[in-house]
Structures are given as structure tokens and as C-alpha cells.
Amino acid sequence: MSIPFLDLKAQYMQIKVEVTDAIQNVLDSTAYVLGPSVSNFEEKFAEYIGVKHCIGVNSGTSALHLALIALDIKAGDEIITTPHTFVSTIWAISYVGAIPVFVDINADTYNINTNLLEAKISNKTKAIIPVHLYGQPANMTEIMKIANEYNIPVVEDAAQAHGAEINGLKVGNFGKISCFSFYPGKNLGAYGEGGALVTNDDAIAERCRLLRNHSQPEKYFHNEVGYNYRMDGLQGAVLGVKLKYLDSWNSRRIEIASMYNEAFSNYVNLSIPKVLDNSKHVYHLYELGFESNEKREVMIMKLNEKGIQTGLHYPIPVHLQKAYKHLNYNEGDFPNTEKAANTLLSLPIYAEMTNQMVEEVIKIIIENA
Ligand SMILES: *Cc1c(COP(=O)(O)O)cnc(C)c1O
């Protein structure tokens, strides 16, 4: 049995008729950029998250960039986040000339360690960007307590966490602005690039709506330096169809994760993800931890021999990337991040996986554990 890491085709086949119809409508209407399919999706996604505004853009990276512009982040400002994330989180900080200030992650949730956060706040700190990594909410209760005390705005990077919750409240509700990605492999994915910002702040929403479209309130009048970060009509149409299935797809991911958890929890040399109380983890990725990089390498090979694909998220932390050499961080600066980079393995997890496929992955791992 061959088990791919992700199977976008299997999902497409289930919604083919509906999605083809929606795409055909956009083609017939020629509303290729923004237009009704995008505003329709924005309305539905805002309602789904439970916020006032959603602004569709052309990627999650663009959403993060606009969020920082909308908060008036300037060159030399400091922004606190974690080095254990997809590099986009940090790109946005660089795009506005700000300086990323890293805080290590927790060894078991892989999200920002809130006990280390306060010590990194300075008078230059102008935002905090928690990442809901792998689909698990960061500890927003603690983060908001600290952020409110110092009056620092929070931007949630929710690119991997569509539908994740804390105490029944969806991520995207905690920060001043929250950013989502609709890259095809995300829990809610477009058929191309896509992203969105959500916020309850009317002024920020209005400004981001303009910024994404050349800051053009009226044709050929430009308020400030703008961007072409608009969402395509076709992506809006696809996302509008797929949003209806997000909860059921997330439920299936959670089911698969509990099968993995149950199977691996008794093996002392394997570590399963820890989920905080009152949190709903939506398992964009399922991370299995090994004792060492070598043990992980052996497992990757054994799985590969049986046709099972895995992934690494992320093998080189941001503070050790060549692009961020100038920040002068060293190996050893963020031990939990570095350990996660060296020992976590992403197992296949997607709604279309059958129980038989999940059991096959489990069987091969246990045979080699
Ligand atoms: C995917 C992702 C992004 C960027 O989204 P794109 O749509 O690919 O630009 C940002 N942050 C995190 C944590 C992501 O996983």
C-alpha cells in the first residue's frame, strides 16, 4: 500500500462537481480578481471565525505583511515570535524593516513558551506574533494577559489552524489582527495561492482592504503606498465551496490523530503531541517525536521502504537560516526549537485517509520503534 503524505486529488474528487460549477460561474462572470466570489467567501469566513471583518488576499505571507503595516510597525521596531515556524512569519517582520526577537517553544506543545515571553519585552516591542503551530492554538490566555499588561498588539499567525479553538472560541478572535493562509495543503486550501486577515477593528479592516488593492479608494487616487495583494475570483469560489466541509475534514483529522496517539502513547521512545486543556487542535500536521535525529532518519527510511511518505516541519529553525545570519543567533540559543527541528516527524494526516491507511502507518512505526 502506498500512502502519500497528502492527497489533494482524493479531496478534489469528492467535491469535483460542486467546485467545477463554482469555477465555471467565475469564468462566465469574468470577475477574475476580487468580485462577488471573493466577497461572498470573506463574509462566510468572518462568520465562521466569529469576527466582524475578513479581507481576502493572495497569500498568508501577504496577510502577515499587511497586518504589520496596519499596526504602523516601523523600521527598527521589535516583534516577538518563535523561531520554530514556517519562515513566512518572519518574512513579514523583515518586510517592514522590523527586528524579529525570538522566544523558544515549549518542549511538548511546540508553541511559544509564555514563561519566557515577558523577559523579551523592551520599549521597542511593537507586536507579538504567536503561531498556532501544527494546528494547535498557542496559549492565548497567557499571551493576551502579558500583551494587555504592556499594551502591545498581538497578530495571530493562524495559517495552520483554521477552526482550532480555545474554550470554544476559534483562533482569530484573540489578537488585534489574525492571518490565515489558504495554500493548497492547509486545512482550508485554495487551488492556487490565497490568504486572509480577520479583525474586529473597523479602521484596520478598511485600511487593509485598501492596502491590498493599491490603496485606491477611488480609481487612480492613492492614499499611501499600496500593494497588489488581491485574492483571485477563482480562489474565492473554491474556498467558498470548501469552507462548508472544513469542520468535517477537521473532525476526521482529529479522529486520525487519536488513533496515532492511542497507538504510540505506550512507547517511551516515541513522543506524541501534548494538547492544552480546553484547546481544540485541528492537526494541520501530526508530529511524532523521536529520541534523536538518527532514530528519526531510520524511521523515515523504514516507512519509505513501505511506500509511506513523511515530512519535516521544520528541519532548520529560522534563527539558524542563512537569511537571518545578521541577527547573530547561534546553535544552542533555543534548545527546544532545535530539538524539535531535529527529532519531529510529520506523519500523513488528511481527511481522506482510510482507517486501513492509518493502521498501516501505525504498524510500520511500531515494528520499528
Ligand atoms: C503557510 C504558512 C504561512 C504562509 O502562508 P502562504 O499562504 O504560503 O504565504 C505563514 N505562516 C505559517 C505558520 C504557515 O504555515
Side-chain angles (χ1 to χ4, degrees), residues 59-61 64 85-86 88-89 131 157 159-160 181 183 186 194 314:
S59 75
T61 308
L64 286 160
T85 179
F86 181 59
S88 269
T89 317
V131 182
D157 183 340
Q160 304 189 354
S181 164
Y183 185 74
K186 300 286 159 88
Y314 297 91

Side-chain angles (χ1 to χ4, degrees), residues 125-239:
T125 308
K126 292 292 148 58
I128 301 170
I129 311 183
V131 182
H132 306 303
L133 201 71
Y134 305 138
Q136 163 153 236
N139 187 344
M140 293 312 295
T141 316
E142 280 304 312
I143 292 166
M144 293 316 298
K145 206 189 285 174
I146 298 166
N148 290 335
E149 190 182 326
Y150 288 86
N151 206 13
I152 299 168
V154 169
V155 175
E156 295 175 62
D157 183 340
Q160 304 189 354
H162 323 71
E165 294 175 3
I166 302 168
N167 290 318
L169 194 60
K170 289 200 171 67
V171 302
N173 279 277
F174 298 91
K176 189 93 183 147
I177 310 175
S178 301
C179 299
F180 289 86
S181 164
F182 305 120
Y183 185 74
K186 300 286 159 88
N187 289 30
L188 179 61
Y191 288 170
E193 303 282 352
L197 303 100
V198 302
T199 183
N200 284 316
D201 186 301
D202 297 342
I204 286 177
E206 178 61 19
R207 188 162 170 209
C208 289
R209 229 173 260 292
L210 290 170
L211 279 165
R212 75 166 169 190
N213 188 17
H214 302 291
S215 294
Q216 184 172 239
E218 255 182 276
K219 205 164 188 187
Y220 305 129
F221 288 81
H222 307 280
N223 284 345
E224 61 177 318
V225 173
Y227 297 82
N228 178 356
Y229 281 175
R230 298 172 298 222
M231 181 181 272
D232 281 2
L234 292 174
Q235 304 314 331
V238 169
L239 290 166

Side-chain angles (χ1 to χ4, degrees), residues 4 12 18 25 53 88 98 106 117 134 146 200 207 220 236 241 248 261 267 283 308 325 336:
Y12 167 59
E18 208 179 343
N25 283 339
H53 306 284
S88 269
N106 285 311
L117 206 167
Y134 305 138
I146 298 166
N200 284 316
R207 188 162 170 209
Y220 305 129
V241 170
S248 71
N261 284 338
Y267 290 79
Y283 295 98
I308 299 167
K325 221 173 142 61
N336 290 343

